[in-house]
Tab-separated table of all heavy atoms in Angstrom:
chain	number	residue	atom	x	y	z
S	2	ASN	N	-121.486	38.834	5.811
S	2	ASN	CA	-122.669	38.882	4.954
S	2	ASN	C	-123.673	37.809	5.347
S	2	ASN	O	-123.325	36.667	5.620
S	2	ASN	CB	-122.216	38.662	3.515
S	2	ASN	CG	-123.344	38.887	2.558
S	2	ASN	OD1	-124.275	38.094	2.510
S	2	ASN	ND2	-123.273	39.981	1.832
S	15	ARG	N	-128.192	20.561	9.909
S	15	ARG	CA	-128.907	19.590	10.751
S	15	ARG	C	-130.341	19.380	10.240
S	15	ARG	O	-130.799	18.248	10.091
S	15	ARG	CB	-128.922	20.081	12.205
S	15	ARG	CG	-129.229	18.999	13.231
S	15	ARG	CD	-129.343	19.554	14.664
S	15	ARG	NE	-128.153	20.249	15.114
S	15	ARG	CZ	-127.171	19.683	15.834
S	15	ARG	NH1	-127.234	18.409	16.161
S	15	ARG	NH2	-126.134	20.398	16.221
S	19	HIS	N	-131.415	15.855	8.328
S	19	HIS	CA	-132.357	14.862	8.868
S	19	HIS	C	-133.477	14.571	7.875
S	19	HIS	O	-133.892	13.432	7.702
S	19	HIS	CB	-132.926	15.336	10.209
S	19	HIS	CG	-131.958	15.158	11.354
S	19	HIS	ND1	-131.482	13.912	11.727
S	19	HIS	CD2	-131.377	16.046	12.190
S	19	HIS	CE1	-130.642	14.056	12.750
S	19	HIS	NE2	-130.554	15.346	13.053
S	23	ASP	N	-134.199	10.746	5.952
S	23	ASP	CA	-135.494	10.047	5.854
S	23	ASP	C	-135.926	9.860	4.402
S	23	ASP	O	-136.453	8.809	4.028
S	23	ASP	CB	-136.572	10.809	6.643
S	23	ASP	CG	-136.379	10.652	8.149
S	23	ASP	OD1	-135.874	9.587	8.568
S	23	ASP	OD2	-136.707	11.580	8.903
S	27	ASP	N	-136.513	6.163	2.833
S	27	ASP	CA	-137.789	5.804	2.186
S	27	ASP	C	-137.562	5.359	0.745
S	27	ASP	O	-138.158	4.388	0.276
S	27	ASP	CB	-138.766	6.993	2.204
S	27	ASP	CG	-139.196	7.363	3.627
S	27	ASP	OD1	-138.998	6.523	4.542
S	27	ASP	OD2	-139.711	8.481	3.834
S	44	LYS	N	-136.594	9.280	-20.065
S	44	LYS	CA	-137.081	10.485	-20.736
S	44	LYS	C	-136.096	10.819	-21.845
S	44	LYS	O	-134.893	10.602	-21.707
S	44	LYS	CB	-137.149	11.670	-19.754
S	44	LYS	CG	-138.411	11.756	-18.934
S	44	LYS	CD	-138.603	13.179	-18.401
S	44	LYS	CE	-139.899	13.327	-17.614
S	44	LYS	NZ	-139.884	12.622	-16.330
S	56	ILE	N	-136.904	24.293	-14.218
S	56	ILE	CA	-136.755	24.301	-12.759
S	56	ILE	C	-135.704	25.324	-12.345
S	56	ILE	O	-135.904	26.117	-11.424
S	56	ILE	CB	-136.396	22.888	-12.255
S	56	ILE	CG1	-137.635	21.985	-12.367
S	56	ILE	CG2	-135.865	22.923	-10.822
S	56	ILE	CD1	-137.395	20.522	-12.067
S	60	ASP	N	-139.777	28.971	-10.270
S	60	ASP	CA	-140.095	29.375	-8.899
S	60	ASP	C	-139.127	28.790	-7.877
S	60	ASP	O	-138.430	27.813	-8.140
S	60	ASP	CB	-141.514	28.897	-8.537
S	60	ASP	CG	-142.558	29.648	-9.344
S	60	ASP	OD1	-142.196	30.699	-9.924
S	60	ASP	OD2	-143.700	29.160	-9.420
S	89	ALA	N	-121.617	0.010	-9.134
S	89	ALA	CA	-121.911	-0.548	-7.814
S	89	ALA	C	-123.203	0.012	-7.242
S	89	ALA	O	-123.548	1.178	-7.457
S	89	ALA	CB	-120.767	-0.244	-6.855
S	106	ASN	N	-113.414	17.314	2.659
S	106	ASN	CA	-112.885	17.813	1.385
S	106	ASN	C	-111.359	17.870	1.388
S	106	ASN	O	-110.755	18.856	0.953
S	106	ASN	CB	-113.465	19.207	1.097
S	106	ASN	CG	-113.470	19.520	-0.388
S	106	ASN	OD1	-113.426	18.602	-1.228
S	106	ASN	ND2	-113.498	20.788	-0.731
S	112	TYR	N	-99.232	14.895	2.219
S	112	TYR	CA	-99.741	14.327	3.461
S	112	TYR	C	-100.504	15.337	4.303
S	112	TYR	O	-101.584	15.045	4.838
S	112	TYR	CB	-98.572	13.732	4.252
S	112	TYR	CG	-98.955	13.290	5.638
S	112	TYR	CD1	-99.771	12.177	5.816
S	112	TYR	CD2	-98.526	13.990	6.757
S	112	TYR	CE1	-100.145	11.768	7.087
S	112	TYR	CE2	-98.890	13.582	8.029
S	112	TYR	CZ	-99.703	12.483	8.198
S	112	TYR	OH	-100.072	12.079	9.447
S	113	GLU	N	-99.960	16.529	4.416
S	113	GLU	CA	-100.565	17.543	5.281
S	113	GLU	C	-102.041	17.780	5.005
S	113	GLU	O	-102.816	18.027	5.913
S	113	GLU	CB	-99.877	18.897	5.053
S	113	GLU	CG	-98.572	19.056	5.760
S	113	GLU	CD	-97.935	20.389	5.408
S	113	GLU	OE1	-98.650	21.399	5.244
S	113	GLU	OE2	-96.714	20.400	5.294
S	159	ARG	N	-94.734	2.717	-20.191
S	159	ARG	CA	-94.063	3.474	-21.265
S	159	ARG	C	-92.673	3.916	-20.813
S	159	ARG	O	-91.683	3.779	-21.534
S	159	ARG	CB	-94.921	4.712	-21.628
S	159	ARG	CG	-94.363	5.551	-22.764
S	159	ARG	CD	-95.224	6.797	-23.035
S	159	ARG	NE	-94.945	7.882	-22.096
S	159	ARG	CZ	-95.468	9.112	-22.186
S	159	ARG	NH1	-96.317	9.414	-23.168
S	159	ARG	NH2	-95.181	10.046	-21.297
S	169	GLU	N	-88.744	13.167	-20.135
S	169	GLU	CA	-88.056	14.425	-20.411
S	169	GLU	C	-87.919	14.703	-21.906
S	169	GLU	O	-88.000	15.838	-22.337
S	169	GLU	CB	-86.654	14.414	-19.771
S	169	GLU	CG	-86.655	14.353	-18.251
S	169	GLU	CD	-87.316	15.570	-17.604
S	169	GLU	OE1	-87.272	16.664	-18.173
S	169	GLU	OE2	-87.911	15.400	-16.512
S	172	ILE	N	-91.997	11.676	-26.781
S	172	ILE	CA	-92.119	10.511	-27.650
S	172	ILE	C	-91.412	10.811	-28.975
S	172	ILE	O	-91.641	11.855	-29.566
S	172	ILE	CB	-93.600	10.222	-27.953
S	172	ILE	CG1	-94.347	9.899	-26.673
S	172	ILE	CG2	-93.732	9.127	-28.999
S	172	ILE	CD1	-94.518	8.463	-26.389
S	173	LYS	N	-90.569	9.884	-29.414
S	173	LYS	CA	-89.827	10.151	-30.648
S	173	LYS	C	-90.533	9.624	-31.880
S	173	LYS	O	-90.495	10.227	-32.924
S	173	LYS	CB	-88.411	9.612	-30.530
S	173	LYS	CG	-87.650	10.495	-29.558
S	173	LYS	CD	-86.199	10.197	-29.430
S	173	LYS	CE	-85.590	11.176	-28.425
S	173	LYS	NZ	-84.367	10.671	-27.847
S	175	GLY	N	-94.111	7.716	-32.118
S	175	GLY	CA	-95.207	7.162	-31.328
S	175	GLY	C	-95.494	5.700	-31.558
S	175	GLY	O	-95.433	4.890	-30.627
S	192	ARG	N	-107.731	4.299	-25.729
S	192	ARG	CA	-107.725	5.742	-25.505
S	192	ARG	C	-106.464	6.181	-24.747
S	192	ARG	O	-105.857	7.197	-25.077
S	192	ARG	CB	-108.975	6.116	-24.705
S	192	ARG	CG	-109.465	7.482	-25.011
S	192	ARG	CD	-110.764	7.747	-24.304
S	192	ARG	NE	-111.835	7.952	-25.246
S	192	ARG	CZ	-112.981	8.546	-24.916
S	192	ARG	NH1	-113.186	8.936	-23.687
S	192	ARG	NH2	-113.904	8.736	-25.828
S	195	LYS	N	-103.565	6.373	-27.042
S	195	LYS	CA	-103.615	7.535	-27.926
S	195	LYS	C	-103.303	8.820	-27.163
S	195	LYS	O	-102.650	9.727	-27.688
S	195	LYS	CB	-104.973	7.601	-28.632
S	195	LYS	CG	-105.109	6.504	-29.714
S	195	LYS	CD	-106.520	6.377	-30.236
S	195	LYS	CE	-106.702	5.167	-31.140
S	195	LYS	NZ	-105.956	5.222	-32.405
S	198	GLY	N	-99.736	9.258	-26.861
S	198	GLY	CA	-99.039	9.591	-28.103
S	198	GLY	C	-98.658	8.392	-28.945
S	198	GLY	O	-97.830	8.496	-29.838
S	201	ASN	N	-101.824	4.549	-33.480
S	201	ASN	CA	-102.239	3.180	-33.782
S	201	ASN	C	-101.321	2.129	-33.158
S	201	ASN	O	-101.420	0.946	-33.481
S	201	ASN	CB	-102.301	2.972	-35.295
S	201	ASN	CG	-103.484	3.728	-35.880
S	201	ASN	OD1	-104.540	3.797	-35.265
S	201	ASN	ND2	-103.303	4.312	-37.054
S	306	GLY	N	-118.839	5.722	-6.799
S	306	GLY	CA	-117.729	6.185	-7.626
S	306	GLY	C	-117.221	7.530	-7.180
S	306	GLY	O	-117.938	8.283	-6.548
S	346	THR	N	-99.658	10.243	-8.820
S	346	THR	CA	-100.977	10.296	-9.456
S	346	THR	C	-101.068	11.471	-10.420
S	346	THR	O	-100.388	12.476	-10.249
S	346	THR	CB	-102.101	10.490	-8.408
S	346	THR	OG1	-101.794	11.640	-7.621
S	346	THR	CG2	-102.244	9.283	-7.527
S	363	LYS	N	-113.464	-2.255	7.675
S	363	LYS	CA	-113.434	-2.320	9.142
S	363	LYS	C	-114.735	-2.921	9.675
S	363	LYS	O	-114.720	-3.743	10.590
S	363	LYS	CB	-113.217	-0.903	9.705
S	363	LYS	CG	-113.353	-0.766	11.213
S	363	LYS	CD	-112.248	-1.479	11.970
S	363	LYS	CE	-112.523	-1.471	13.487
S	363	LYS	NZ	-111.700	-2.485	14.180
S	372	GLU	N	-119.172	-12.399	-0.227
S	372	GLU	CA	-120.495	-13.007	-0.372
S	372	GLU	C	-121.325	-12.294	-1.435
S	372	GLU	O	-122.107	-12.931	-2.138
S	372	GLU	CB	-121.194	-13.050	0.991
S	372	GLU	CG	-120.431	-13.998	1.900
S	372	GLU	CD	-121.041	-14.216	3.284
S	372	GLU	OE1	-122.188	-13.794	3.505
S	372	GLU	OE2	-120.334	-14.798	4.119
S	427	ARG	N	-134.978	-4.181	-26.811
S	427	ARG	CA	-134.220	-3.465	-25.788
S	427	ARG	C	-134.675	-1.999	-25.707
S	427	ARG	O	-134.878	-1.448	-24.634
S	427	ARG	CB	-132.758	-3.652	-26.128
S	427	ARG	CG	-131.695	-2.645	-25.892
S	427	ARG	CD	-131.425	-2.067	-24.608
S	427	ARG	NE	-130.854	-0.766	-24.945
S	427	ARG	CZ	-130.560	0.175	-24.128
S	427	ARG	NH1	-130.774	0.030	-22.848
S	427	ARG	NH2	-130.066	1.292	-24.542
S	437	TYR	N	-134.067	-2.241	-16.477
S	437	TYR	CA	-133.001	-1.589	-17.232
S	437	TYR	C	-131.963	-2.627	-17.602
S	437	TYR	O	-131.229	-3.129	-16.742
S	437	TYR	CB	-132.368	-0.429	-16.464
S	437	TYR	CG	-131.293	0.270	-17.285
S	437	TYR	CD1	-131.545	0.621	-18.612
S	437	TYR	CD2	-130.049	0.582	-16.761
S	437	TYR	CE1	-130.576	1.247	-19.391
S	437	TYR	CE2	-129.075	1.217	-17.523
S	437	TYR	CZ	-129.349	1.544	-18.837
S	437	TYR	OH	-128.397	2.155	-19.606
G	2	ASN	N	-128.353	-13.977	1.698
G	2	ASN	CA	-127.393	-14.005	2.786
G	2	ASN	C	-127.647	-12.869	3.775
G	2	ASN	O	-127.929	-11.733	3.388
G	2	ASN	CB	-125.997	-13.856	2.188
G	2	ASN	CG	-124.956	-14.092	3.233
G	2	ASN	OD1	-124.793	-13.283	4.137
G	2	ASN	ND2	-124.286	-15.216	3.127
G	15	ARG	N	-131.087	4.747	7.925
G	15	ARG	CA	-131.813	5.780	8.671
G	15	ARG	C	-131.165	6.021	10.039
G	15	ARG	O	-130.919	7.173	10.433
G	15	ARG	CB	-133.279	5.355	8.837
G	15	ARG	CG	-134.233	6.498	9.176
G	15	ARG	CD	-135.654	6.002	9.456
G	15	ARG	NE	-136.261	5.274	8.355
G	15	ARG	CZ	-137.045	5.829	7.423
G	15	ARG	NH1	-137.320	7.120	7.462
G	15	ARG	NH2	-137.574	5.092	6.458
G	19	HIS	N	-129.030	9.500	10.782
G	19	HIS	CA	-129.432	10.553	11.727
G	19	HIS	C	-128.325	10.844	12.738
G	19	HIS	O	-128.072	12.000	13.084
G	19	HIS	CB	-130.733	10.157	12.443
G	19	HIS	CG	-131.956	10.343	11.579
G	19	HIS	ND1	-132.344	11.580	11.099
G	19	HIS	CD2	-132.859	9.465	11.091
G	19	HIS	CE1	-133.443	11.456	10.363
G	19	HIS	NE2	-133.775	10.174	10.327
G	23	ASP	N	-126.180	14.608	13.100
G	23	ASP	CA	-125.937	15.355	14.343
G	23	ASP	C	-124.442	15.493	14.633
G	23	ASP	O	-123.981	16.541	15.085
G	23	ASP	CB	-126.651	14.662	15.515
G	23	ASP	CG	-128.161	14.893	15.463
G	23	ASP	OD1	-128.573	15.962	14.969
G	23	ASP	OD2	-128.923	14.006	15.907
G	27	ASP	N	-122.689	19.135	14.901
G	27	ASP	CA	-121.913	19.523	16.096
G	27	ASP	C	-120.485	19.893	15.708
G	27	ASP	O	-119.907	20.864	16.218
G	27	ASP	CB	-121.887	18.374	17.118
G	27	ASP	CG	-123.273	18.092	17.697
G	27	ASP	OD1	-124.166	18.962	17.556
G	27	ASP	OD2	-123.460	17.005	18.289
G	44	LYS	N	-100.033	15.035	13.062
G	44	LYS	CA	-99.371	13.822	13.541
G	44	LYS	C	-98.382	13.395	12.481
G	44	LYS	O	-98.627	13.555	11.291
G	44	LYS	CB	-100.378	12.683	13.750
G	44	LYS	CG	-101.090	12.694	15.078
G	44	LYS	CD	-101.660	11.295	15.398
G	44	LYS	CE	-102.332	11.251	16.757
G	44	LYS	NZ	-103.608	12.002	16.769
G	56	ILE	N	-106.429	0.290	14.570
G	56	ILE	CA	-107.893	0.336	14.557
G	56	ILE	C	-108.441	-0.706	13.601
G	56	ILE	O	-109.384	-1.442	13.922
G	56	ILE	CB	-108.375	1.757	14.181
G	56	ILE	CG1	-108.124	2.705	15.365
G	56	ILE	CG2	-109.853	1.759	13.782
G	56	ILE	CD1	-108.394	4.160	15.089
G	60	ASP	N	-110.295	-4.084	18.009
G	60	ASP	CA	-111.646	-4.403	18.466
G	60	ASP	C	-112.726	-3.822	17.557
G	60	ASP	O	-112.495	-2.890	16.804
G	60	ASP	CB	-111.868	-3.837	19.881
G	60	ASP	CG	-110.995	-4.576	20.889
G	60	ASP	OD1	-110.503	-5.679	20.534
G	60	ASP	OD2	-110.795	-4.028	21.991
G	89	ALA	N	-111.908	24.118	-1.282
G	89	ALA	CA	-113.172	24.750	-0.903
G	89	ALA	C	-113.649	24.277	0.461
G	89	ALA	O	-113.454	23.126	0.844
G	89	ALA	CB	-114.241	24.442	-1.939
G	106	ASN	N	-125.129	7.045	-7.582
G	106	ASN	CA	-123.923	6.472	-8.202
G	106	ASN	C	-124.064	6.362	-9.713
G	106	ASN	O	-123.710	5.328	-10.311
G	106	ASN	CB	-123.640	5.093	-7.592
G	106	ASN	CG	-122.168	4.719	-7.705
G	106	ASN	OD1	-121.313	5.598	-7.854
G	106	ASN	ND2	-121.869	3.429	-7.654
G	112	TYR	N	-125.877	8.872	-21.854
G	112	TYR	CA	-127.033	9.525	-21.255
G	112	TYR	C	-127.845	8.594	-20.372
G	112	TYR	O	-128.261	8.956	-19.265
G	112	TYR	CB	-127.907	10.100	-22.378
G	112	TYR	CG	-129.233	10.622	-21.881
G	112	TYR	CD1	-129.285	11.773	-21.106
G	112	TYR	CD2	-130.415	9.958	-22.177
G	112	TYR	CE1	-130.503	12.251	-20.638
G	112	TYR	CE2	-131.629	10.430	-21.719
G	112	TYR	CZ	-131.672	11.572	-20.943
G	112	TYR	OH	-132.862	12.034	-20.480
G	113	GLU	N	-128.084	7.369	-20.852
G	113	GLU	CA	-128.918	6.422	-20.120
G	113	GLU	C	-128.513	6.240	-18.664
G	113	GLU	O	-129.350	6.074	-17.796
G	113	GLU	CB	-128.814	5.040	-20.766
G	113	GLU	CG	-129.635	4.849	-21.992
G	113	GLU	CD	-129.397	3.488	-22.604
G	113	GLU	OE1	-129.190	2.501	-21.865
G	113	GLU	OE2	-129.402	3.426	-23.831
G	117	THR	N	-130.489	12.580	-15.332
G	117	THR	CA	-130.608	13.892	-14.701
G	117	THR	C	-129.254	14.555	-14.557
G	117	THR	O	-129.103	15.763	-14.766
G	117	THR	CB	-131.328	13.756	-13.346
G	117	THR	OG1	-132.744	13.737	-13.607
G	117	THR	CG2	-131.015	14.892	-12.406
G	159	ARG	N	-103.505	19.784	-28.917
G	159	ARG	CA	-102.532	18.952	-29.637
G	159	ARG	C	-103.133	18.482	-30.959
G	159	ARG	O	-102.509	18.549	-32.013
G	159	ARG	CB	-102.146	17.743	-28.765
G	159	ARG	CG	-101.100	16.824	-29.382
G	159	ARG	CD	-100.793	15.601	-28.501
G	159	ARG	NE	-101.803	14.550	-28.640
G	159	ARG	CZ	-101.722	13.339	-28.070
G	159	ARG	NH1	-100.680	13.039	-27.296
G	159	ARG	NH2	-102.668	12.455	-28.240
G	169	GLU	N	-104.560	9.126	-34.388
G	169	GLU	CA	-104.402	7.830	-35.044
G	169	GLU	C	-102.943	7.475	-35.302
G	169	GLU	O	-102.554	6.319	-35.218
G	169	GLU	CB	-105.165	7.819	-36.383
G	169	GLU	CG	-106.678	7.943	-36.250
G	169	GLU	CD	-107.314	6.779	-35.501
G	169	GLU	OE1	-106.784	5.662	-35.569
G	169	GLU	OE2	-108.335	6.995	-34.822
G	172	ILE	N	-97.573	10.441	-31.822
G	172	ILE	CA	-96.642	11.568	-31.843
G	172	ILE	C	-95.413	11.174	-32.657
G	172	ILE	O	-94.830	10.112	-32.430
G	172	ILE	CB	-96.194	11.895	-30.406
G	172	ILE	CG1	-97.388	12.315	-29.575
G	172	ILE	CG2	-95.104	12.939	-30.415
G	172	ILE	CD1	-97.613	13.762	-29.450
G	173	LYS	N	-95.013	12.034	-33.565
G	173	LYS	CA	-93.863	11.669	-34.400
G	173	LYS	C	-92.555	12.173	-33.838
G	173	LYS	O	-91.538	11.511	-33.932
G	173	LYS	CB	-94.091	12.147	-35.817
G	173	LYS	CG	-95.204	11.314	-36.444
G	173	LYS	CD	-95.412	11.543	-37.891
G	173	LYS	CE	-96.523	10.609	-38.370
G	173	LYS	NZ	-97.188	11.079	-39.563
G	175	GLY	N	-91.923	14.214	-30.383
G	175	GLY	CA	-92.591	14.868	-29.272
G	175	GLY	C	-92.254	16.328	-29.080
G	175	GLY	O	-93.145	17.178	-29.096
G	192	ARG	N	-96.881	18.503	-16.417
G	192	ARG	CA	-97.150	17.081	-16.335
G	192	ARG	C	-98.028	16.619	-17.494
G	192	ARG	O	-97.798	15.567	-18.079
G	192	ARG	CB	-97.848	16.789	-15.006
G	192	ARG	CG	-97.544	15.434	-14.497
G	192	ARG	CD	-98.136	15.248	-13.112
G	192	ARG	NE	-97.096	15.046	-12.135
G	192	ARG	CZ	-97.334	14.517	-10.936
G	192	ARG	NH1	-98.561	14.189	-10.576
G	192	ARG	NH2	-96.341	14.342	-10.101
G	195	LYS	N	-96.029	16.209	-20.578
G	195	LYS	CA	-95.191	15.007	-20.559
G	195	LYS	C	-96.035	13.744	-20.740
G	195	LYS	O	-95.610	12.789	-21.389
G	195	LYS	CB	-94.362	14.975	-19.276
G	195	LYS	CG	-93.224	16.001	-19.298
G	195	LYS	CD	-92.559	16.155	-17.954
G	195	LYS	CE	-91.596	17.340	-17.903
G	195	LYS	NZ	-90.399	17.199	-18.742
G	198	GLY	N	-96.692	13.169	-24.241
G	198	GLY	CA	-95.533	12.756	-25.026
G	198	GLY	C	-94.673	13.888	-25.539
G	198	GLY	O	-93.846	13.697	-26.426
G	201	ASN	N	-89.704	17.657	-22.985
G	201	ASN	CA	-89.309	19.027	-22.670
G	201	ASN	C	-89.966	20.063	-23.570
G	201	ASN	O	-89.596	21.236	-23.539
G	201	ASN	CB	-87.786	19.160	-22.750
G	201	ASN	CG	-87.140	18.434	-21.586
G	201	ASN	OD1	-87.651	18.428	-20.480
G	201	ASN	ND2	-86.014	17.791	-21.850
G	306	GLY	N	-114.721	18.438	-3.575
G	306	GLY	CA	-114.002	17.884	-4.727
G	306	GLY	C	-114.557	16.540	-5.116
G	306	GLY	O	-115.133	15.856	-4.298
G	346	THR	N	-114.657	13.017	-22.636
G	346	THR	CA	-113.910	12.990	-21.383
G	346	THR	C	-112.984	11.783	-21.319
G	346	THR	O	-113.258	10.760	-21.943
G	346	THR	CB	-114.854	12.890	-20.165
G	346	THR	OG1	-115.709	11.763	-20.357
G	346	THR	CG2	-115.672	14.140	-19.991
G	363	LYS	N	-129.301	26.824	-7.956
G	363	LYS	CA	-130.754	26.950	-7.849
G	363	LYS	C	-131.145	27.625	-6.537
G	363	LYS	O	-132.032	28.481	-6.509
G	363	LYS	CB	-131.392	25.558	-7.953
G	363	LYS	CG	-132.885	25.497	-7.663
G	363	LYS	CD	-133.717	26.196	-8.725
G	363	LYS	CE	-135.190	26.279	-8.329
G	363	LYS	NZ	-135.916	27.263	-9.130
G	372	GLU	N	-120.490	36.814	-3.473
G	372	GLU	CA	-120.197	37.483	-2.199
G	372	GLU	C	-119.099	36.757	-1.440
G	372	GLU	O	-118.286	37.376	-0.759
G	372	GLU	CB	-121.485	37.614	-1.380
G	372	GLU	CG	-122.417	38.584	-2.110
G	372	GLU	CD	-123.733	38.863	-1.398
G	372	GLU	OE1	-123.882	38.481	-0.221
G	372	GLU	OE2	-124.606	39.474	-2.046
G	427	ARG	N	-92.929	28.100	10.218
G	427	ARG	CA	-94.049	27.391	9.585
G	427	ARG	C	-94.134	25.961	10.118
G	427	ARG	O	-95.211	25.468	10.449
G	427	ARG	CB	-93.831	27.484	8.099
G	427	ARG	CG	-94.193	26.469	7.113
G	427	ARG	CD	-95.526	25.917	7.000
G	427	ARG	NE	-95.289	24.581	6.481
G	427	ARG	CZ	-96.171	23.658	6.278
G	427	ARG	NH1	-97.426	23.872	6.547
G	427	ARG	NH2	-95.833	22.501	5.818
G	437	TYR	N	-103.352	26.571	10.355
G	437	TYR	CA	-102.731	25.839	9.268
G	437	TYR	C	-102.426	26.808	8.136
G	437	TYR	O	-103.325	27.319	7.464
G	437	TYR	CB	-103.605	24.689	8.758
G	437	TYR	CG	-102.932	23.901	7.635
G	437	TYR	CD1	-101.601	23.474	7.765
G	437	TYR	CD2	-103.589	23.603	6.456
G	437	TYR	CE1	-100.969	22.769	6.759
G	437	TYR	CE2	-102.952	22.888	5.435
G	437	TYR	CZ	-101.639	22.483	5.589
G	437	TYR	OH	-101.002	21.788	4.588
Side-chain angles (χ1 to χ4, degrees):
Chain S
N2 188 290
R15 198 184 302 265
H19 283 299
D23 287 329
D27 294 343
K44 275 201 178 70
I56 288 173
D60 292 344
N106 205 21
Y112 172 70
E113 280 177 36
R159 182 183 80 174
E169 295 297 330
I172 298 263
K173 289 186 180 158
R192 210 174 244 198
K195 288 169 189 294
N201 289 323
T346 54
K363 172 68 187 163
E372 294 183 11
R427 146 56 207 173
Y437 182 47
Chain G
N2 189 290
R15 199 185 301 266
H19 283 298
D23 286 329
D27 294 343
K44 276 201 177 71
I56 287 173
D60 292 344
N106 205 22
Y112 172 70
E113 281 176 36
T117 277
R159 182 182 80 174
E169 295 297 330
I172 298 264
K173 290 188 178 156
R192 210 174 244 198
K195 287 170 190 293
N201 289 323
T346 54
K363 172 68 187 164
E372 293 182 11
R427 147 54 209 176
Y437 181 48

